[in-house]
C-alpha cells in the first residue's frame, strides 16, 4: 500500500502544474490549452506505444474501447469544458468551492469498494479535509476583488462546476474499479491507451476549431505555447496518470480520494513560487489541515485489523 501512496503523492506533484499553466500562457484560451494538451498527450503516448501498439490493440475488447471512450470524455474533455465554463460564468472562487469537494465525493462514492473503511472510521480525517477546504475557499472569497455578477449567470456557472465535480468523481472510481478487475493491463499500458483515446477524441475537435477560425491571434508566441503544453502533457498526463493508475490499483478508493488532495497542495505550492509570495494565514491553516487529514486517512488504512476474540472450544 505504501508504494501506492507514494505514487499518488507523485501524481499530485505532476498534476499541480496544471494550475500554473494558464498563467504561463495567459494569452491563450482554456479551450486552446485543453485541446493542445490532449493532442500532445495523444501524440506522446502514440510514440511510446508504437513498438507494441498492434499487440496491445489486439488485446482490447469492445467493452475496453467503450471504457476508454467514456474515460477520455469524463476524465478529460467534458470535465475540463465544464470546469472552464464554470470559472468563466461564476468566477474562480465559486467554482473552486465545488471542485474542492472532490476528495470527499470520491471517498463517498467509493465507500463500498473492496478494502474501503467505513465512513465512521474516516470521520475525523474527512472533517479535517472539509475544514481545510473551507479555509481555502474563505480565503479565496475574502481576497477576491471581482465585480458582482447576475445570479442567473452565477447559478449556471455553479451547475457547470457541479457537473465537472460529478464527471471526475465518477471517472476516478470507475477507473480504479477497472484497473483492479483487469490485471491484464499494467498501469503504464492503460495510461497510454487512455492518452491515445483522449488524443483521438480531441483531434477532430481541434480540427473543427481550427476550421472555424477559433485559434485567435496567430501572432502570439506559439513556440512557447507548444513547448509548455507539451511539457505539461508529458508530466501531468503521461507520467502523472501512469502514477495514478498504479496508486488506484494498490490503495482502497476511500484512501485514493484523500490522495487527490496532493494535486491541490502542489498546485498551491507552485502558485506561491510563481507569484513569489508567501501563503496567507488561512492558506497556511488550510494546508496544515489538508495534510493532517491525508495523514490521518493513511494511518487508519495502514493499521492492522483488530483481531476478533474467539471463545476457546470446550
Amino acid at each position: 500500500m505504501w508504494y501506492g501512496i507514494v505514487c499518488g503523492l507523485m501524481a499530485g506533484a505532476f498534476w499541480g502544474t496544471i494550475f500554473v499553466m494558464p498563467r504561463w500562457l495567459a494569452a491563450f484560451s482554456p479551450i486552446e490549452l485543453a485541446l493542445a494538451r490532449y493532442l500532445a498527450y495523444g501524440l506522446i503516448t502514440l510514440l511510446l506505444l508504437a513498438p507494441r501498439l498492434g499487440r496491445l490493440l489486439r488485446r482490447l475488447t469492445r467493452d475496453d474501447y467503450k471504457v476508454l471512450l467514456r474515460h477520455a470524455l469524463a476524465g478529460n474533455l467534458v470535465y475540463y469544458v465544464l470546469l472552464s465554463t464554470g470559472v468563466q460564468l461564476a468566477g474562480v472562487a465559486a467554482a473552486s468551492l465545488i471542485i474542492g469537494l472532490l476528495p470527499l465525493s470520491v471517498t463517498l462514492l467509493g465507500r463500498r469498494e473492496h478494502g474501503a473503511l467505513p465512513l465512521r472510521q474516516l470521520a475525523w480525517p474527512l472533517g479535517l479535509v472539509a475544514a481545510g477546504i473551507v479555509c481555502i475557499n474563505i480565503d479565496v472569497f475574502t481576497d477576491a476583488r471581482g465585480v458582482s455578477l447576475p445570479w442567473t449567470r452565477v447559478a449556471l456557472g455553479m451547475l457547470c462546476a457541479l457537473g465537472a465535480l460529478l464527471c471526475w468523481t465518477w471517472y476516478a472510481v470507475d477507473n480504479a474499479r477497472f484497473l483492479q478487475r483487469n490485471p491484464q493491463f499494467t498501469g503504464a499500458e492503460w495510461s497510454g491507451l487512455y492518452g491515445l483515446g483522449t488524443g483521438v477524441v480531441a483531434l477532430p475537435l481541434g480540427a473543427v476549431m481550427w476550421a472555424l477560425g477559433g485559434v485567435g491571434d496567430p501572432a502570439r508566441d506559439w513556440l512557447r505555447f507548444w513547448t509548455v503544453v507539451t511539457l505539461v502533457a508529458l508530466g501531468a498526463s503521461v507520467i502523472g496518470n501512469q502514477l495514478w493508475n498504479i496508486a488506484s490499483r494498490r490503495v482502497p478508493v476511500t484512501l485514493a480520494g484523500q490522495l487527490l488532495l496532493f494535486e491541490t497542495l502542489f498546485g498551491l505550492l507552485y502558485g506561491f513560487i510563481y507569484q513569489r509570495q508567501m501563503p496567507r494565514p488561512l492558506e497556511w491553516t488550510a494546508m496544515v489541515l489538508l495534510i493532517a487529514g491525508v495523514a490521518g486517512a493513511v494511518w487508519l488504512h495502514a493499521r492492522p485489523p483488530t483481531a476478533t476474540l474467539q471463545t476457546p472450544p470446550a
Side-chain angles (χ1 to χ4, degrees), residues 6-304:
V6 172
C7 288
L9 186 152
M10 294 175 63
F14 281 105
W15 285 344
T17 59
I18 298 171
F19 290 91
V20 293
M21 184 174 70
R23 298 190 180 185
W24 290 336
L25 302 172
F28 298 86
S29 70
I31 299 299
E32 290 172 327
L33 296 177
L35 290 177
R37 173 191 165 193
Y38 298 142
L39 287 172
Y41 182 18
L43 180 59
I44 293 172
T45 53
L46 176 62
L47 295 175
L48 293 175
L49 293 176
R52 50 199 171 105
L53 182 59
R55 295 191 302 272
L56 193 56
L57 291 178
R58 284 192 292 270
R59 289 164 50 191
L60 292 174
T61 65
R62 180 178 297 181
D63 289 339
D64 294 335
Y65 281 110
K66 292 179 181 178
V67 172
L68 285 171
L69 176 61
R70 69 181 187 236
H71 283 184
L73 292 172
N76 276 336
L77 292 169
V78 175
Y79 164 76
Y80 194 86
V81 169
L82 287 172
L83 177 59
S84 60
T85 304
V87 170
Q88 291 175 350
L89 293 178
V92 175
S96 64
L97 176 63
I98 294 178
I99 298 301
L101 298 174
L102 187 59
L104 300 179
S105 62
V106 170
T107 299
L108 291 173
L109 186 61
R111 67 188 184 279
R112 299 187 184 277
E113 298 297 310
H114 175 71
L117 291 180
L119 290 182
R120 65 178 182 276
Q121 294 186 29
L122 292 170
W124 66 268
L126 291 177
L128 292 176
V129 169
I133 293 170
V134 169
C135 287
I136 288 177
N137 288 281
I138 289 177
D139 180 81
V140 169
F141 277 110
T142 55
D143 190 64
R145 297 292 184 269
V147 297
S148 59
L149 298 173
W151 73 267
T152 51
R153 173 173 173 166
V154 174
L156 182 58
M158 297 284 275
L159 287 175
C160 289
L162 178 61
L165 172 70
L166 296 176
C167 279
W168 221 94
T169 299
W170 174 85
Y171 160 73
V173 176
D174 193 67
N175 184 61
R177 289 171 178 167
F178 180 87
L179 288 171
Q180 291 172 2
R181 296 171 184 173
N182 293 271
Q184 70 271 24
F185 296 109
T186 66
E189 289 174 339
W190 190 247
S191 177
L193 290 170
Y194 173 53
L196 195 59
T198 303
V200 169
V201 175
L203 183 59
L205 297 178
V208 170
M209 183 176 177
W210 182 276
L212 295 177
V215 295
D217 183 9
R220 292 173 294 179
D221 191 349
W222 287 96
L223 177 60
R224 173 184 172 86
F225 172 78
W226 282 110
T227 300
V228 173
V229 164
T230 302
L231 289 175
V232 171
L234 176 62
S237 296
V238 177
I239 301 176
N241 287 351
Q242 180 176 341
L243 290 168
W244 182 251
N245 284 340
I246 296 173
S248 297
R249 181 167 278 162
R250 292 175 177 263
V251 302
V253 176
T254 48
L255 179 54
Q258 307 312 301
L259 296 180
L260 288 170
L261 285 169
F262 286 120
E263 178 184 4
T264 301
L265 291 173
F266 278 102
L268 288 171
L269 174 62
Y270 299 153
F272 295 140
I273 294 174
Y274 180 83
Q275 296 174 351
R276 298 180 182 180
Q277 69 179 32
M278 293 294 292
R280 294 182 289 270
L282 271 177
E283 291 172 327
W284 278 116
T285 303
M287 288 187 290
V288 170
L289 288 170
L290 292 176
I291 293 173
V294 173
V298 170
W299 176 74
L300 288 173
H301 282 86
R303 284 190 313 173

